[in-house]
Amino acid sequence: MSDAVKILVADDEPNLRRVLTALLKRDGHEVHQAADGDAAIAMLGDVDVVISDLRMPSRGGMDVLAACSKQHPHVPVILMTAYGSVAQAVEAMKVGAFDYVEKPFDTEQIRVVVGKAVAHARLARGHVRTVISGANASRGIGRYGLVGTSAEIGAVYDIIERVADTPSTVLITGESGTGKELVARALHESSGRAKGPFIKINCAAIPKNLMESELFGYERGAFTGATTAKPGRFELAHEGTLFLDEIGEIPVEMQVKLLRAIQESEFERVGGLKTIKVDVRLVTATNRELDQEIARGNFREDLFYRLNVVPLHLAPLRQRRSDLTLLVPHIIDKFNERLKKSVRGVTDAAMATLTAYHWPGNIRELENVLERTMLFCNGDEIDAADLPAEVTAHEQHAVPVPLPHEHASGELSGDASLKDFVRAEAARVEREFIGKALEETGGNVTQAAKLLRISRKSLQLKMKDLGLRIRDTTGE
């Protein structure tokens, strides 16, 4: 995908579309236009950001927002509203709108809002939320919108069940692409606040100088361009849930104000004197190691302890490979509907290749790989040869361990017990996981042990039992 962001401008006023299109094109964006809601909805699948008027013939901005939230939830929607409709725009933000601007707006105002949406879109590119369908839910392949039955995902189900309906702050950690936003939404929708707003903000997409006004809002005249007062995300999330994604990106100078807002449940808007009290359940997420950020002086320790009341870690896909047998057909079903394809599934060889790959991009990468493969697949079933080179190239790293007493024909000899085969398969899996951990850490046994969540001594013993050479370069 090119770096140019595709922006859809939907408004029934030709002059406004023309002016806004010219402005956005000067900023290097690719712009598409729609004169009404129906045309806008038909174009949602081909754009990265949507700017829509709130009121248009046939279907308005709220209809565009609803369609986008359902079909393309990763695409930010900005609503344009005339004076007198601000209250409706604020309500739209509570149900998923990225932001709103009032007409008439100045050039700098629209550039700032679009800039935030573009940053959000670039971070979200290629990411499609994995929401489980009702049919899949009835087959019991997951809960809370999550797909999987592994022990790792089972632990996540358990935490959601225990803490969803409490006011406790949750800190979700895990690598990029593991589904942190999906878990945050599950916590909200499984709580007593489910009918309240779910407000999300990606801290990495907000310029540092705008962070305070984004979180706490601002009063009219607080700074150049603040022609009207505007509520922040804390206000919008009142009696609901506020999800701060990439919390590790918040500037240190803002962390003090955030800590106070969390502790006291109150704050002041930028440029305001009135203290505003809110009832907000806070969920945060990060792919950073916050303890390391604390040591570097980039994150306040007192804020960390306030956020880390309930820690919830999402394991990377390489640590829950057994879930691939459920994730792959689920994702294929989803893209069949979106791409108008009829792929039935994957061959055993393709599944073996997908299972052997280490998935550094996690579920997000899995979705990208399957979507790309389905677009170019000619048959009704994906074979290993259809998969992209970066996935198939890793097959050579797998070290198969033959099962004991197995003939070339595939038939098992009569003197091999079930325990023999279970023991051999366990050894094969252990060898594969240890080999991949050592590969990812450059042969560093200490770091590989941390990755595998076992002691260094245990890893050394297992390597000795499996005949793997120990070459420890701790780098310490």
Side-chain angles (χ1 to χ4, degrees):
M1 187 181 291
S2 67
D3 192 53
V5 170
K6 298 178 182 178
I7 300 178
L8 170 63
V9 176
D11 197 295
D12 59 323
E13 298 180 32
N15 287 338
L16 188 144
R17 292 201 311 273
R18 190 178 304 114
V19 170
L20 194 50
T21 296
L23 170 65
L24 296 172
K25 283 186 174 180
R26 280 200 302 271
D27 289 342
H29 304 305
E30 180 180 328
V31 186
H32 302 262
Q33 299 183 41
D36 55 50
D38 287 324
I41 290 171
M43 299 168 69
L44 291 177
D46 299 319
V47 297
D48 302 304
V49 175
V50 176
I51 305 173
S52 174
D53 191 20
L54 194 58
R55 296 179 179 174
M56 292 184 290
S58 66
R59 303 169 79 175
M62 293 299 288
D63 296 310
V64 174
L65 173 62
C68 197
S69 297
K70 181 179 179 181
Q71 301 170 21
H72 311 281
H74 58 295
V75 174
V77 178
I78 300 168
L79 293 176
M80 297 183 291
T81 177
Y83 179 78
S85 302
V86 173
Q88 189 177 3
V90 171
E91 289 304 310
M93 287 187 69
K94 292 183 178 181
V95 296
F98 182 82
D99 209 334
Y100 72 90
V101 291
E102 289 183 71
K103 296 180 182 178
F105 45 78
D106 59 37
T107 299
E108 188 57 32
Q109 180 190 17
I110 193 68
R111 275 185 166 141
V112 168
V113 175
V114 170
K116 291 185 295 185
V118 165
H120 177 90
R122 283 184 170 137
L123 287 169
R125 268 180 170 176
H127 172 48
V128 181
R129 282 174 45 213
T130 307
V131 181
I132 193 169
S133 66
N136 283 337
S138 67
R139 291 201 294 266
I141 68 171
R143 288 184 282 164
Y144 305 113
L146 303 167
V147 177
T149 57
S150 64
E152 290 80 7
I153 202 69
V156 174
Y157 299 151
D158 183 60
I159 294 175
I160 294 174
E161 185 175 313
R162 289 172 181 270
V163 308
D165 204 20
T166 72
S168 300
T169 302
V170 179
L171 175 60
I172 307 170
T173 58
E175 297 176 7
S176 294
T178 50
K180 294 187 286 293
E181 182 183 332
L182 197 59
V183 171
R185 189 173 290 275
L187 287 164
H188 171 72
E189 294 178 352
S190 302
S191 73
R193 297 173 179 264
K195 293 184 179 180
F198 177 77
I199 302 297
K200 60 183 180 179
I201 177 172
N202 190 316
C203 301
I206 307 300
K208 292 182 179 181
N209 62 325
L210 298 178
M211 186 66 71
E212 184 175 4
S213 60
E214 281 295 314
L215 291 175
F216 306 126
Y218 55 83
E219 296 292 352
R220 180 180 180 180
F223 48 81
T224 303
T227 55
T228 60
K230 190 171 184 179
R233 306 296 169 135
F234 267 91
E235 271 182 88
L236 294 171
H238 181 59
E239 296 184 340
T241 301
L242 176 61
F243 175 47
L244 301 181
D245 198 6
E246 304 296 353
I247 188 70
E249 303 295 332
I250 288 190
V252 176
E253 57 270 19
M254 264 302 302
Q255 294 175 21
V256 179
K257 296 181 180 180
L258 176 60
L259 178 62
R260 183 230 170 181
I262 297 171
Q263 288 177 326
E264 309 297 334
S265 296
E266 63 182 32
F267 56 90
E268 293 80 36
R269 289 179 177 176
V270 176
L273 299 175
K274 178 184 176 183
T275 298
I276 300 171
K277 294 192 73 68
V278 290
D279 173 18
V280 171
R281 200 278 178 83
L282 188 66
V283 178
T284 62
T286 182
N287 60 8
R288 293 193 177 195
E289 298 288 346
L290 290 185
D291 54 347
Q292 296 179 14
E293 296 301 311
I294 292 170
R296 297 186 186 107
N298 296 330
F299 204 84
R300 292 180 61 97
E301 190 172 16
D302 48 1
L303 177 58
F304 171 73
Y305 289 122
R306 178 62 63 174
L307 299 176
N308 198 40
V309 177
V310 179
L312 194 162
H313 181 72
L314 293 181
L317 187 55
R318 62 182 173 275
Q319 291 181 10
R320 44 178 290 225
R321 295 171 193 262
S322 61
D323 289 334
L324 281 165
T325 57
L326 300 174
L327 282 164
V328 169
H330 169 67
I331 294 170
I332 287 175
D333 287 345
K334 181 173 59 177
F335 283 126
N336 270 334
E337 182 177 354
R338 171 175 296 180
L339 304 175
K340 304 296 187 289
K341 302 282 282 187
S342 56
V343 177
R344 293 188 293 109
V346 300
T347 64
D348 291 343
M351 181 59 75
T353 300
L354 293 171
T355 303
Y357 184 55
H358 64 289
W359 299 110
N362 296 296
I363 297 174
R364 184 177 301 166
E365 184 184 10
L366 174 64
E367 289 181 322
N368 289 346
V369 165
L370 289 175
E371 181 179 9
R372 190 189 332 161
T373 303
M374 290 174 67
L375 283 170
F376 295 100
C377 178
N378 294 320
D380 60 358
E381 198 171 33
I382 295 172
D383 196 13
D386 298 315
L387 296 170
E390 67 265 25
V391 176
T392 56
H394 284 261
E395 276 190 298
Q396 59 186 319
H397 297 297
V399 183
V401 177
L403 294 176
H405 311 295
E406 182 176 1
H407 297 303
S409 64
E411 295 181 356
L412 306 178
S413 62
D415 58 345
S417 70
L418 177 61
K419 288 184 179 180
D420 291 330
F421 293 107
V422 171
R423 190 178 300 113
E425 181 65 11
R428 185 191 69 78
V429 172
E430 281 192 336
R431 178 187 290 272
E432 179 182 334
F433 273 83
I434 290 172
K436 289 184 181 299
L438 290 169
E439 178 187 337
E440 291 182 23
T441 59
N444 187 317
V445 176
T446 302
Q447 293 301 320
K450 289 181 180 179
L451 191 63
L452 295 167
R453 297 186 183 182
I454 61 176
S455 70
R456 183 170 178 271
K457 185 66 174 177
S458 296
L459 178 55
Q460 288 177 319
L461 291 173
K462 285 183 178 294
M463 290 174 67
K464 185 177 179 181
D465 291 341
L466 295 168
L468 294 172
R469 186 164 62 92
I470 298 176
R471 183 176 60 86
D472 192 2
T473 54
T474 61
E476 299 173 351

